[in-house]
Amino acid sequence: MPSFPTHTPLLHRPTSESGHNHPKSRRPITGFIVILASILFFFSLVFLIRNGQEPQETEQKQSTLPPMSRSEKHGVSEKSSRVRDDSETYPWTDEMFAWQRTGYHFQPENNWMNDPDGPLFHKGWYHLFYQYNPDSAIWGNITWGHAVSRDLIQWLYLPLALVPDRWFDWFGVWTGSATLLPDGNIYMLYTGDTDNYVQVQNLAYPVNVSDPLLLEWVKYDDNPVLIPPKGIALKDFRDPTTMWQGADGVWRLMIGSKKDGAGIALVYKTTNFTTYELVDHYVHAVAGTGMWECIDFYPVSTDSSVGLDWSANGPGTKHVLKASLDDNKHDYYALGTYDSIADLWIPDNPELDVGVGLRVDYGKYYASKTFYDQNKGRRILWGWIGETDTDGDDLLKGWASVQTIPRVVTFDQKTRTNIIQWPVEELESLWTTSSEFDGIYLEPGSVVELNISSTSQLDISAEFIVDKEALNNATLDEVNNCSTSSFRGAAGPFGLLVLTDESLSELTPVYFYLGRSPSGVLDTWFCTDKSRSTKASGVDKQVYGGLVPVLDDENFSLRILVDHSIVEAFGQGGRTLITSRIYPTEAIYGAAKVFLFNNATELSVIASVKAWHVESVDIHPFPLDQI
């Protein structure tokens, strides 16, 4: 790996005398505000030049934005679904749009949502903050929505927590993380998009930390507490992590960026949470991976399923370094060892380093963030499920995006090479009636319908037993990715069809596919095929998936959460995950079915399935008038 130059110490942040730190309304709407914004822009340029940075190329001079993105101007990850809006528009009905809205996943009442922010547990309540546009179903005007729950499943909406109303977050209150201190205080560090499109880090804290609902937040008067250091582009400095303490007792945080095409992790130290010192080297960097955003960095126990608090380290501990790659919009992670004195993280396997190895989820999934749940001693993971239809469709239905079901993260003590993700146990409180099917024999080429009613909200577990001798004798294909489910190989695909109509004209297969790697090793791929999931145009129809470890003494197992337009698939107990957005036109409501299938040519499979119906949750505003 090439070496990278070290950074100079953190530049001084602006003082209150700079002319910026004044209260402003959320949106400039009068000529006076326009003039004022111009003055602020001038002063911000002076500030940047005075601190040794060249002003960013001025997008203000551009008359039009790039055609694909509203977010590129701000130097933030693409938020569009990337489905072309000029494709033929499908004539969606209100009934179809109504079906797409989920029954038991978290989403706002309406409008746009993206990254989860600052999740925490406080005085009996789980808190979720999230990127939210209160004005539209497409990205923009990013504020922090806020919701609380007793059990991570049944949520109540609270008033907006943070809005873009100061020069240091004028164009958006972006992603941030919460730090719970031993003395009970809570600090929230978040990225602000300034009035000059510079990414800075800002501090906020509750007005009343004894309030279980944390209804009111105040921004630190001398924000920003961090600005881009010399050598880092003004739009490549975002998404601070939760802080942790090193062996020296000093608090640290991590921020992602890029340099010379490499994804990098910057570490800062602080003793007072308002002033920070930049460590003079990268804690880690991976060439060719581009901008790292929404970094997460946390410990996992290698000999227990109990979660670890942020500052845990030492024997029996690995550290997960995760980054959301701006270049390809996927979340990658790697396991490694963290030296908190040298502030270096070393991956266990450089071939599976961040951005080139394992993904958190192989589907439509991004900007994930964990928190330590001190209530139950576990680490919980949130992730943003974006849309894969068009912006126009989202505007018509009036909402966009969903959060995953919260997942518990543990170290895989069997493989010792990956993490395990599994839905929180509280989801089981929504189970109602179940259907069970044991020992179903699936010969090559077979499709078997399962007699399950009302299949739009299900929690399905399935196990598949294959004849090991037949597998050893099969003429396996050379496979290096997830082939479509319609392709018939010697040992796959086999699995389940969900959100499928009676005639199989629309179907979403979730399946295993066995083959030989180019080196001759037996590989198992875990896949979701969206290519025939809908007859609608203007909808993404990729085949998702990745390799999943299957040990010699294990059968093939999967779990699928079906919630209308969401399909979350967990392979081999949560070693490999795939989240998908599905937009059927016919396989909806009572017309949606579930099938077992085996499209292998040389392998028979015995399948057992248990499917629970999952009842809807009633997410609604918190009755604040009853407090």
Side-chain angles (χ1 to χ4, degrees):
M1 181 183 299
S3 60
F4 299 100
T6 57
H7 295 295
T8 56
L10 172 66
L11 302 173
H12 294 297
R13 64 182 186 275
T15 63
S16 58
E17 288 78 22
S18 66
H20 291 291
N21 199 15
H22 61 278
K24 297 200 286 189
S25 62
R26 197 175 69 193
R27 288 273 172 209
I29 57 175
T30 67
F32 171 75
I33 294 297
V34 171
I35 295 171
L36 184 58
S38 299
I39 296 172
L40 291 172
F41 172 64
F42 169 77
F43 277 108
S44 64
L45 284 180
V46 172
F47 163 72
L48 291 172
I49 294 171
R50 190 173 65 227
N51 282 275
Q53 295 241 31
E54 292 298 324
Q56 192 78 353
E57 63 275 14
T58 56
E59 285 81 0
Q60 284 91 342
K61 295 181 180 179
Q62 298 177 357
S63 58
T64 59
L65 294 177
M68 267 302 299
S69 175
R70 299 165 305 284
S71 52
E72 184 175 328
K73 183 176 182 178
H74 299 263
V76 69
S77 170
E78 173 65 62
K79 302 304 180 186
S80 170
S81 66
R82 293 180 173 262
V83 176
R84 291 181 61 87
D85 277 340
D86 59 0
S87 60
E88 181 182 353
T89 301
Y90 188 82
W92 298 103
T93 66
D94 290 343
E95 185 180 45
M96 292 175 183
F97 279 149
W99 179 89
Q100 291 176 14
R101 191 167 177 89
T102 63
Y104 60 91
H105 282 71
F106 177 80
Q107 60 185 126
E109 292 180 279
N110 49 39
N111 294 330
W112 169 273
M113 175 178 67
N114 55 286
D115 307 5
D117 293 312
L120 58 92
F121 179 81
H122 178 67
K123 294 187 180 298
W125 291 97
Y126 291 99
H127 290 253
L128 175 65
F129 304 86
Y130 50 92
Q131 305 280 279
Y132 180 60
N133 182 353
D135 299 329
S136 176
I138 58 176
W139 185 88
N141 185 32
I142 295 302
T143 69
W144 273 27
H146 186 191
V148 291
S149 172
R150 292 289 193 184
D151 62 0
L152 290 167
I153 299 296
Q154 304 277 359
W155 291 90
L156 297 167
Y157 302 120
L158 290 176
L160 298 177
L162 296 172
V163 301
D165 59 0
R166 305 288 288 277
W167 73 267
F168 49 76
D169 57 18
W170 177 264
F171 284 115
V173 179
W174 289 355
T175 299
S177 300
T179 300
L180 281 62
L181 301 184
D183 63 5
N185 281 316
I186 300 173
Y187 288 141
M188 198 74 77
L189 208 63
Y190 70 92
T191 297
D193 189 19
T194 74
D195 53 2
N196 191 33
Y197 303 111
V198 177
Q199 294 171 11
V200 298
Q201 314 313 315
N202 302 314
L203 179 65
Y205 42 87
V207 171
N208 179 11
V209 76
S210 64
D211 173 15
L213 299 181
L214 300 176
L215 287 172
E216 295 183 85
W217 292 79
V218 63
K219 299 172 185 177
Y220 179 54
D221 282 341
D222 287 334
N223 276 331
V225 296
L226 284 170
I227 65 172
K230 186 173 292 186
I232 296 298
L234 305 182
K235 296 183 179 182
D236 294 334
F237 183 67
R238 55 184 177 268
D239 310 334
T241 65
T242 293
M243 289 180 263
W244 72 92
Q245 284 181 294
D248 56 4
V250 176
W251 289 90
R252 291 158 167 82
L253 67 87
M254 191 179 294
I255 297 176
S257 188
K258 66 178 178 181
K259 185 69 174 178
D260 300 327
I264 62 175
L266 307 173
V267 167
Y268 288 86
K269 298 180 179 180
T270 184
T271 56
N272 59 11
F273 307 103
T274 58
T275 58
Y276 295 81
E277 176 189 359
L278 177 63
V279 172
D280 64 2
H281 58 269
Y282 306 137
V283 70
H284 195 59
V286 180
T289 56
M291 176 67 194
W292 285 5
E293 54 182 4
C294 299
I295 279 186
D296 205 1
F297 186 64
Y298 57 89
V300 290
S301 171
T302 60
D303 50 23
S304 169
S305 61
V306 174
L308 298 179
D309 204 346
W310 294 94
S311 300
N313 204 349
T317 303
K318 292 287 185 184
H319 271 76
V320 176
L321 177 57
K322 168 260 161 182
S324 300
L325 266 60
D326 192 18
D327 285 357
N328 64 19
K329 306 303 177 288
H330 298 313
D331 278 19
Y332 290 82
Y333 78 93
L335 290 160
T337 301
Y338 171 55
D339 183 337
S340 67
I341 299 299
D343 281 305
L344 288 172
W345 178 88
I346 306 298
D348 288 349
N349 182 354
E351 293 184 358
L352 296 178
D353 209 340
V354 180
V356 297
L358 301 173
R359 281 169 55 181
V360 178
D361 189 299
Y362 288 81
K364 184 63 177 177
Y365 179 94
Y366 200 63
S368 58
K369 183 178 292 295
T370 68
F371 75 101
Y372 175 65
D373 174 14
Q374 74 273 26
N375 181 44
K376 291 192 173 182
R378 56 187 177 174
R379 182 155 295 274
I380 304 294
L381 173 69
W382 284 99
W384 165 42
I385 312 172
E387 302 290 331
T388 57
D389 57 359
T390 68
D391 289 343
D393 293 339
D394 297 340
L395 288 169
L396 285 173
K397 67 186 180 187
W399 58 272
S401 302
V402 181
Q403 298 293 334
T404 60
I405 290 298
R407 303 168 181 174
V408 177
V409 178
T410 56
F411 177 77
D412 190 338
Q413 296 181 50
K414 292 183 177 180
T415 65
R416 307 193 72 80
T417 59
N418 54 270
I419 59 172
I420 293 287
Q421 303 171 61
W422 202 243
V424 293
E425 62 184 2
E426 288 88 340
L427 177 62
E428 298 172 13
S429 67
L430 301 180
W431 288 354
T432 57
T433 59
S434 65
S435 302
E436 200 159 355
F437 310 87
D438 292 322
I440 298 178
Y441 182 75
L442 300 173
E443 62 183 7
S446 59
V447 179
V448 176
E449 182 177 354
L450 299 179
N451 185 21
I452 303 173
S453 62
S454 185
T455 66
S456 294
Q457 293 180 206
L458 294 175
D459 187 343
I460 308 170
S461 294
E463 183 176 67
F464 302 88
I465 301 174
V466 302
D467 186 323
K468 296 297 177 67
E469 183 177 352
L471 177 59
N472 292 333
N473 293 331
T475 307
L476 298 180
D477 311 281
E478 184 176 307
V479 180
N480 58 10
N481 57 38
C482 276
S483 302
T484 63
S485 56
S486 59
F487 176 81
R488 299 193 64 185
F494 58 87
L496 285 162
L497 307 177
V498 298
L499 299 178
T500 301
D501 68 342
E502 189 73 42
S503 66
L504 306 185
S505 65
E506 289 185 334
L507 69 165
T508 300
V510 180
Y511 55 93
F512 294 99
Y513 190 94
L514 282 60
R516 296 289 180 191
S517 69
S519 62
V521 176
L522 176 64
D523 281 339
T524 301
W525 291 82
F526 183 56
C527 316
T528 297
D529 181 359
K530 302 202 306 175
S531 62
R532 293 172 290 164
S533 63
T534 179
K535 295 179 180 179
S537 56
V539 173
D540 177 73
K541 299 177 183 179
Q542 295 184 58
V543 180
Y544 295 144
L547 288 168
V548 60
V550 181
L551 304 185
D552 291 340
D553 61 347
E554 295 178 338
N555 293 322
F556 300 89
S557 65
L558 59 80
R559 183 177 179 182
I560 304 174
L561 305 181
V562 180
D563 190 5
H564 297 265
S565 61
I566 301 293
V567 174
E568 292 189 65
F570 301 73
Q572 289 307 112
R575 290 177 184 148
T576 299
L577 281 78
I578 308 167
T579 299
S580 306
R581 296 305 304 271
I582 310 296
Y583 308 95
T585 62
E586 297 184 9
I588 58 178
Y589 296 107
K593 310 291 183 183
V594 177
F595 296 80
L596 283 165
F597 80 100
N598 176 19
N599 224 12
T601 59
E602 301 181 28
L603 197 69
S604 296
V605 179
I606 299 175
S608 296
V609 178
K610 187 169 187 178
W612 289 93
H613 289 95
V614 182
E615 67 180 1
S616 296
V617 295
D618 178 21
I619 306 178
H620 60 274
F622 195 104
L624 295 175
D625 58 345
Q626 299 178 20
I627 297 179

